[in-house]
Amino acid sequence: MKVLVINCGSSSLKYQLIDMDNENALANGLVERIGIEGSKLTQKVDGRDKYVLSVPMKDHKDAIKHVLDTLTDGTNGVIASMDEIGAVGHRVVHGGEKYADSVIINDEVMKDLVDFSALAPLHNPPNIIGIRACQTLMPDTKMVAVFDTAFHQTMPEKAFLYGLPYEMYKENHIRKYGFHGTSHKYVSYRTAEILGRDVKDLKIVTCHLGNGASVAAVHNGKSVDTSMGFTPLEGLLMGTRCGDIDPAIIPYLMKEYNYSYDEVLDIMNKKSGVLGLSGVSSDFRDIEVAADGGNNRANLALDVFYYRVKKYIGYFVAAMNGIDALVFTAGLGENAPEAREAIASDLEYLGINLDRAKNKVRGKETVVSTDDSKVKVLVVPTNEELMIARDTLALVK
Ligand code: ADP
């Protein structure tokens, strides 16, 4: 069966068509600037030149129609007709406490997703729009929702409760949910396979370091803690998000400087993190270049970022009472040896010994610790699309 995986953002959409007979990606695409001037679809197929389609796309339905047309196009496509798509798997950011697993989308699920939008106002609405657009264009195709929060639903209360009045959890659903779950699950399970061990016997700390970034503690195959919280703002600092700050800073900014609620949210989500500290960029590549060129604030931003990741590794080693494997994934984690070295150095007392030569690797599954390192350090490129496709296939079969 062929499964179409859709990851819908507010003005962009990523897709992948995967042949589940061999788990090969037949096509990989990105639609950008949906509903904005300059809409563009880019599709990559192994062994072919990149295909780019620049046409106006007024909404997500328009975008998905162009995706389906491109996939079935005689010249640039990879399938003869839409009938070859057996099912669609949608990435959905928030599944609340109800969804600890992926689920076939029906009316009840759609209603829940709308309800959860209050918890994830930036993320769930575009996911819902994407699902509705697919339902309109492919009314007879089964669809599955795969949640970013699901893997973390195994966290114990002591990890997910905040020190707020308990009623706020019970009545207002305020708790840590955690995100990037599909990625943390994929890389932790893949780590066990690479090491030839049973994931149920391992204590793994997974570092998903991309534009959004989070760390998770995976004990015996279950997420027991993670750095993101009620929203993806908590934890590490990220490209543009501030991560952990003293919550009292927020009312202080609002009271002393007359910032509105929206302004504070905007600062914390879009103007902070390594962008805010460096003043250079939210992209780690730009910051590394600036730091190498002697830009002090760029250096400082990297230092603060690395230090925060290291601190979270420490938290989670303590939480699990040990660690067998430390895993790096996502844009920075997979591709930046300097970042891995800065984060994983001076941890020998925990049994973590990075092999600097082996660590000079980009985007490839590799064990980068020394042969005698008690704790294995790995680079494992994440594959959220494949996880979504696997769950989708399992549910529709
Ligand atoms: P997301 O999916 O959250 O948008 P990614 O996982 O694609 O993010 O990661 C994107 C980030 O990874 C970029 O902002 C960039 O900073 C970083 N990155 C990618 N390649 C490299 C590299 N070769 N060196 C350093 N950083 C990199």
Side-chain angles (χ1 to χ4, degrees):
M1 183 195 286
K2 296 183 181 84
V3 172
L4 178 63
V5 176
I6 301 271
N7 179 357
C8 219
S10 56
S11 68
S12 70
L13 182 165
K14 290 186 198 157
Y15 67 93
Q16 213 174 88
L17 184 68
I18 303 181
D19 183 348
M20 295 310 287
D21 292 343
N22 48 25
E23 297 197 335
N24 277 347
L26 300 172
N28 216 318
L30 170 69
V31 188
E32 294 163 281
R33 303 183 64 85
I34 301 169
I36 314 171
E37 208 184 310
S39 306
K40 181 170 96 171
L41 180 156
T42 312
Q43 178 168 286
K44 290 188 203 153
V45 174
D46 268 356
R48 289 193 205 161
D49 287 342
K50 197 157 65 173
Y51 169 70
V52 180
L53 173 75
S54 295
V55 289
M57 299 185 215
K58 66 177 187 315
D59 54 24
H60 287 76
K61 193 170 137 211
D62 239 12
I64 289 170
K65 180 154 188 335
H66 283 294
V67 169
L68 296 173
D69 287 348
T70 304
L71 288 170
T72 53
D73 180 74
T75 314
N76 302 296
V78 289
I79 47 174
S81 90
M82 258 167 57
D83 298 342
E84 288 188 46
I85 301 174
V88 182
H90 291 271
R91 177 195 183 201
V92 177
V93 169
H94 216 304
E97 287 196 307
K98 183 164 172 184
Y99 296 104
D101 254 313
S102 305
V103 64
I104 294 208
I105 298 172
N106 57 24
D107 290 347
E108 183 193 336
V109 173
M110 286 307 282
K111 188 184 164 305
D112 288 336
L113 299 192
V114 173
D115 288 348
F116 300 146
S117 289
L119 299 173
L122 300 177
H123 296 95
N124 269 32
N127 300 157
I128 294 167
I129 291 168
I131 295 171
R132 291 213 171 110
C134 283
Q135 286 173 329
T136 312
L137 294 164
M138 316 165 79
D140 300 323
T141 309
K142 280 191 179 152
M143 315 235 172
V144 167
V146 179
F147 302 97
D148 253 32
T149 47
F151 183 52
H152 300 301
Q153 277 297 307
T154 46
M155 282 188 290
E157 276 182 318
K158 67 181 175 191
F160 74 66
L161 282 176
Y162 292 115
L164 289 166
Y166 189 69
E167 299 73 36
M168 290 200 167
Y169 164 51
K170 280 294 166 201
E171 287 161 25
N172 308 102
H173 313 288
I174 293 177
R175 50 158 286 177
K176 181 187 278 281
Y177 290 97
F179 300 87
H180 289 147
T182 310
S183 177
H184 288 295
K185 183 173 181 186
Y186 176 81
V187 299
S188 55
Y189 279 63
R190 185 73 199 121
T191 292
E193 281 173 16
I194 294 167
L195 298 178
R197 303 273 307 272
D198 188 337
V199 75
K200 296 206 169 72
D201 296 329
L202 292 173
K203 296 169 178 171
I204 306 176
V205 175
T206 48
C207 305
H208 177 111
L209 310 179
N211 196 22
S214 66
V215 182
V218 184
H219 193 174
N220 301 344
K222 292 188 170 142
S223 169
V224 292
D225 208 341
T226 188
S227 59
M228 282 179 169
F230 176 63
T231 74
L233 193 55
E234 189 181 341
L236 306 180
L237 59 163
M238 312 179 202
T240 60
R241 295 183 205 143
C242 60
D244 297 335
I245 58 168
D246 181 341
I249 294 169
I250 298 161
Y252 177 81
L253 286 175
M254 294 175 86
K255 188 154 177 272
E256 295 294 322
Y257 296 94
N258 271 325
Y259 279 119
S260 69
Y261 162 90
D262 286 328
E263 283 168 330
V264 174
L265 261 189
D266 191 58
I267 292 169
M268 294 191 303
N269 274 299
K270 301 197 177 138
K271 299 188 176 139
S272 300
V274 289
L275 167 71
L277 277 177
S278 70
V280 172
S281 167
S282 63
D283 193 303
F284 282 93
R285 284 164 289 201
D286 301 336
I287 302 171
E288 281 173 9
V289 170
D292 287 344
N295 181 320
N296 283 339
R297 271 180 59 187
N299 248 315
L300 193 64
L302 292 176
D303 271 357
V304 177
F305 177 80
Y306 299 152
Y307 178 69
R308 182 80 57 91
V309 180
K310 193 187 271 253
K311 226 161 63 166
Y312 265 96
I313 294 170
Y315 288 170
F316 292 159
V317 172
M320 293 191 289
N321 188 22
I323 175 171
D324 299 302
L326 173 65
V327 188
F328 290 95
T329 195
L332 182 77
E334 292 167 23
N335 296 303
E338 323 71 44
R340 291 192 299 263
E341 187 172 327
I343 294 162
S345 57
D346 303 325
L347 293 175
E348 289 79 11
Y349 66 97
L350 289 177
I352 296 173
N353 282 287
L354 194 73
D355 184 319
R356 278 160 208 232
K358 286 187 196 156
N359 184 44
K360 291 197 187 330
V361 66
R362 290 182 199 274
K364 216 174 101 201
E365 274 185 1
T366 318
V367 177
V368 295
S369 45
T370 58
D371 291 344
D372 61 357
S373 180
K374 186 166 86 57
V375 177
K376 301 300 168 203
V377 184
L378 293 94
V379 175
V380 180
T382 193
N383 197 338
E384 290 161 285
E385 291 78 12
L386 180 59
M387 283 296 278
I388 293 172
R390 281 180 183 164
D391 276 14
T392 302
L393 178 71
L395 280 168
V396 302
K397 244 185 174 173

